[in-house]
Amino acid sequence: VWGIADPARLAERTPTFAITMAGTSPADTAAALGRTGIFTWDGDFYARGLIERLGLDEAGGVLRLGLVHYSTAGEVDRTLEALAAIAARVPVGSSPVSG
């Protein structure tokens, strides 16, 4: 997670998270999540200088997740489970999305 990750400072965060995962590009991660009905974005989001300074430009930037007040706990859990599956190199989207 790029940005504030200290649990004591979570009130200072916005509901948008920028993440990277070892072994997969932001574009591939976004595509895998999209296959499960979890919609995210990837790239530099017009913050090219920041992405370059962080050394993430060659890797395709970051994956951007938006979790806001109308995101349910179930949606957050499903997103975290899908990210864990991607990190574990388990095929994502091979089973139907459950309600």
Side-chain angles (χ1 to χ4, degrees):
V1 174
W2 293 90
I4 298 170
D6 178 359
R9 296 182 57 208
L10 290 183
E12 300 174 46
R13 281 203 64 95
T14 64
T16 303
F17 293 83
I19 68 168
T20 52
M21 296 177 64
T24 183
S25 72
D28 288 345
T29 305
L33 291 170
R35 287 191 295 275
T36 70
I38 299 170
F39 302 105
T40 61
W41 308 266
D42 66 277
D44 64 22
F45 310 101
Y46 302 102
R48 184 106 182 113
L50 173 63
I51 295 299
E52 288 173 352
R53 185 165 176 110
L54 293 172
L56 301 173
D57 51 322
E58 295 295 322
V62 296
L63 177 76
R64 183 175 173 176
L65 300 167
L67 302 170
V68 293
H69 63 282
Y70 53 78
S71 298
T72 67
E75 290 169 332
V76 174
D77 289 343
R78 192 162 66 90
T79 300
L80 293 174
E81 289 167 6
L83 289 170
I86 293 166
R89 308 295 188 265
V90 174
V92 176
S94 57
S95 61
V97 176
S98 60

